Amino acid sequence: MALTPARTMPGVLELLPLDQIAFQRMLDVIRRNYERFGFLPVETPVIEYSDVLLTKTGGETERQVYFVQSTGALDKADEGTPELALRFDLTVPLARYVAEHERDLSFPFRRYQMQKVYRGERAQRGRFREFYQCDIDVIGKDALSVRYDAEIPAVIYSVFRELDIGPFIIQLNNRKLMRGYFESLGIVDGDQQMLVLREVDKLDKRGADYVRDTLTGAAFGLSAEVAQKILAFVQVRSTSLQDAFDKLDALGAGPEAMEQGRAELKEVLGLIHAFGVPQTHYALNLSIARGLDYYTGMVYETTLNDHPQIGSICSGGRYENLAGQYTKSHLPGVGISIGLTRLYWQLHDAGLIDTAKSTVDVLVTQMDEAQLPAYLALASELRGAGIATEVVLEGGKLGRQFKYADRAGIRFVVVLGEDELTRGVVTVKDLRREDQFEVARSELVKTLRVELEQAAAMG
Amino acid sequence: MALTPARTMPGVLELLPLDQIAFQRMLDVIRRNYERFGFLPVETPVIEYSDVLLTKTGGETERQVYFVQSTGALDKADEGTPELALRFDLTVPLARYVAEHERDLSFPFRRYQMQKVYRGERAQRGRFREFYQCDIDVIGKDALSVRYDAEIPAVIYSVFRELDIGPFIIQLNNRKLMRGYFESLGIVDGDQQMLVLREVDKLDKRGADYVRDTLTGAAFGLSAEVAQKILAFVQVRSTSLQDAFDKLDALGAGPEAMEQGRAELKEVLGLIHAFGVPQTHYALNLSIARGLDYYTGMVYETTLNDHPQIGSICSGGRYENLAGQYTKSHLPGVGISIGLTRLYWQLHDAGLIDTAKSTVDVLVTQMDEAQLPAYLALASELRGAGIATEVVLEGGKLGRQFKYADRAGIRFVVVLGEDELTRGVVTVKDLRREDQFEVARSELVKTLRVELEQAAAMG
């Protein structure tokens, strides 16, 4: 029989076990922190009805959707859009979930969701067709205090501090402030404001001159003075909490939207401080607009200080109404998303993530086949104490067994030969410290637990 | 705008948050136990190439496959089988994974994988189109000792003991023993043996008389004596380890396959004992055949003593060669699968699973808006100590805040009013015990930690 080449499609991240362990640890840290802030888990099906999924989305997203058909449905082809599709984010399923289960949920509804999403991206390095999103959202019924917008940066801070991937800054802006400021400059039309924002978004890539030329060019026709004011506005960054307040005040009075945005930003900034986020870890950045049109108030991006090229590692904001396409209820919300697959890949690419140590703590070697029951009893005891233990069942040379442990990233190798059995001891080889010690059989569990707890405490 | 009805397709299990927590805890228990036995995590993409996925499968499975097409690919319809499909189990992706990464893996390769799989089942109560499988497999290179077949029941025992869903029995059989025994009765042809096995599988549903009539009828044409021997064989159950050995011996001598199967079963039974699995939790059951044709040696099923109607909650076995369709390497293995979505649903349906307590331990109420910074500081302190804490940010009547906590399943509600602040204390309401106590502000974290640890220890 001809062999089928074993391969996966481009755009998926499939990891070897030790890398998967490193990835899983990041997922665990994120989940733990989400739960600590009182967010509840939700999982939704990967497959949704196409009409449910595609109510709101524009052409761009629609072209990237994966449609799904069972074998039976394929026979009835050419009947337009298939009935089913894979979710392309977690926000649309959240909207559907909240609308569907509204009566069974308590509001404000705080949920986290960490699942994979699917996009038919062009195959290209660093673009993923399947990737994890790790989202939190707080959904209010009718209204939701801006105080929840201040809690979000506290969660971000908590997550990335524990992920321990280097210093980071949570950058804050407010859409109302931006729109109000544009209004004060005579750019009143909402669509026109969006177009200006889109140009401004190119500042980092194209530079100030390019953006100024575009804004004063035929497409926009803004005066040099207005263009200059816009550029000055979007270049505002704060260096401390007080500096943020000062810079917001220095913008001068403006129309209602601008005053609202400023008030929201001030309240959020004050509360972030009360939430215990240090001033080194958040800043005003009036260039942050976020591509998505549905953000209406606060917006967030988070960047790594030492790796700006990675871009935002956690983004989100406030939206006016989550599920208007499914329900008449008014459901404002605020949330963020961490695209973990891309983040992991980038950190790994930049050499910032090591391959993890194994989840296996101990390998019990097989020195003497006849003593297998003793090895199994020892392993049961270790496992009972919560120590992940593998037993060599097949035997073979001890040197090969050590080599296996080393290659597999297992730290402790336990040897129990005739000599040890007679003397009631166990020999432990610590492959990390390249050390070896003997311990009484009855003390083994305690000794290894102490070692492993110390190692865990030290990260 | 007309509203789109918010709904999911039939055959998916979408849970409310507290049920999701109960489900997540089961996933965590399974993962923890798999890791304790030294299995390493693997995740594979949900979408695979169709030709990779469908090399081995028969018509039945093929008709249940979900095919995937991105919007662009839909335009080029009518070009036969779509290029991509959703995995329908975790075994085929494992085979592909091992073949693809063979040179980077250490053998015996021990992996666990807990992900969702997809089958285009008919919509019917209790049938799932999306469901979790929680698999372990040990894959050998060229050979794999039968000792690994004895480790599998030890893992099953460990998982279901901790899942704590009632008494259970791991039922063991061996395909070689069965085939050898049939051979000794003159049923030599492999396909014929399979057909007999398939009839025998109906014993529980249709009864002995029906099966006897079929076996002696035109389709099989077996003598009454042979049919009786088959029925006696498949009704063998052991009541203890010694009884299992005795009953295996009582089968009498047989052809080589039978002797091999008997020897394997005996070795496995002896080692299961050494692995510390109590005799109450495993038994010989010579009717276990498992539907899948690729099992070649040991086979396992696990049933709940008090709920036989649920059927097998964990099944698997030994197979001769994992990935023959992708590689020339000979890769024998042994593994099991827990279909957690179906199991959870059945347990829930039978009233055996409570809705979980919330993952949120504490709700900090908002008695006095002006004291919000004090509430946030308190919450930060609790979170820092690993206590999942939600703060009421929106205010409102205290009674409503208590009601929210009660409805959300949050156990402790913390009240910090002017009076408490002056006196340096905190009032804690324990909604589970319907009790209330006052504690010094400085002692709060310690007190709650003790309470929560006690609750966790008591399950």
Side-chain angles (χ1 to χ4, degrees), chain A residues 382 385 387 442-453:
Chain A
L382 290 167
I387 299 172
S442 55
E443 293 291 308
L444 178 66
V445 166
K446 214 175 78 185
T447 306
L448 288 178
R449 270 186 104 152
V450 170
E451 290 280 354
L452 290 165
E453 274 162 21

Side-chain angles (χ1 to χ4, degrees), chain A residues 337-352:
Chain A
S337 182
I338 302 172
L340 190 63
T341 301
R342 185 163 167 271
L343 176 59
Y344 173 89
W345 181 84
Q346 285 172 315
L347 293 172
H348 197 271
D349 205 47
L352 296 172

Side-chain angles (χ1 to χ4, degrees), chain A residues 14 145 147 369 393-394, chain B residues 96 145 147 369 393-394:
Chain A
E14 181 167 87
S145 162
R147 288 169 189 159
E369 195 172 343
L393 292 177
E394 211 129 21
Chain B
R96 195 265 307 143
S145 162
R147 289 169 189 161
E369 193 171 344
L393 292 178
E394 211 130 20

Side-chain angles (χ1 to χ4, degrees), chain A residues 108-277:
Chain A
F109 176 53
R110 304 160 70 81
R111 88 85 176 76
Y112 74 86
Q113 186 170 358
M114 300 169 57
Q115 293 193 281
K116 286 175 177 170
V117 304
Y118 297 85
R119 293 188 192 167
E121 298 268 3
R122 260 180 313 130
Q124 192 180 318
R125 187 179 146 80
R127 289 229 185 198
F128 292 97
R129 292 171 173 178
E130 172 185 75
F131 56 97
Y132 267 102
Q133 285 197 331
C134 307
D135 285 19
I136 50 169
D137 286 87
V138 186
I139 312 296
K141 185 91 179 250
D142 303 319
L144 184 73
S145 162
V146 73
R147 288 169 189 159
Y148 290 96
D149 302 50
E151 192 184 37
I152 296 288
V155 183
I156 299 174
Y157 171 68
S158 178
V159 166
F160 286 98
R161 189 183 47 171
E162 194 174 337
L163 277 179
D164 199 22
I165 52 175
F168 58 91
I169 290 194
I170 305 160
Q171 323 220 28
L172 307 168
N173 197 4
N174 189 294
R175 278 280 184 97
K176 290 176 194 165
L177 182 84
M178 291 189 110
R179 284 178 179 268
Y181 187 74
F182 289 171
E183 210 182 306
S184 77
L185 299 178
I187 309 167
V188 179
D189 179 65
D191 290 342
Q192 184 74 356
Q193 289 176 347
M194 281 308 304
L195 291 174
V196 172
L197 282 180
R198 208 165 292 162
E199 281 313 305
V200 161
D201 239 10
K202 298 175 186 164
L203 203 59
D204 283 349
K205 276 187 198 153
R206 302 295 193 92
D209 287 344
Y210 171 87
V211 175
R212 187 183 296 112
D213 287 350
T214 312
L215 292 179
T216 55
F220 288 90
L222 299 176
S223 71
E225 193 200 0
V226 166
Q228 187 50 43
K229 278 190 171 169
I230 291 173
L231 284 173
F233 177 87
V234 299
Q235 281 173 49
V236 169
R237 308 282 183 279
S238 69
T239 55
S240 69
L241 179 57
Q242 189 54 52
D243 185 50
F245 283 124
D246 292 345
K247 281 184 170 145
L248 283 173
D249 287 335
L251 294 172
E256 198 191 334
M258 185 169 159
E259 296 306 332
Q260 263 186 29
R262 175 155 41 202
E264 285 183 11
L265 262 170
K266 282 186 171 180
E267 184 165 359
V268 165
L269 285 164
L271 283 173
I272 290 179
H273 185 67
F275 266 109
V277 182

Side-chain angles (χ1 to χ4, degrees), chain A residues 4 14-15 28 31 36 46 62 67 69 71 96-97 101 130 145 147 325 369 389 393-394, chain B residues 4 14-15 28 31 36 46 62 67 69 71 96-97 101 130 145 147 325 369 389 393-394:
Chain A
T4 305
E14 181 167 87
L15 302 171
D28 289 344
R31 170 148 78 110
R36 262 190 209 155
V46 163
E62 210 155 328
F67 291 100
Q69 287 169 293
T71 321
R96 195 264 308 143
Y97 182 94
H101 305 293
E130 172 185 75
S145 162
R147 288 169 189 159
Q325 67 271 48
E369 195 172 343
T389 304
L393 292 177
E394 211 129 21
Chain B
T4 304
E14 181 167 89
L15 301 172
D28 289 344
R31 171 148 77 108
R36 265 191 207 152
V46 163
E62 210 154 329
F67 291 99
Q69 287 168 294
T71 321
R96 195 265 307 143
Y97 182 94
H101 304 294
E130 173 185 76
S145 162
R147 289 169 189 161
Q325 68 270 49
E369 193 171 344
T389 304
L393 292 178
E394 211 130 20

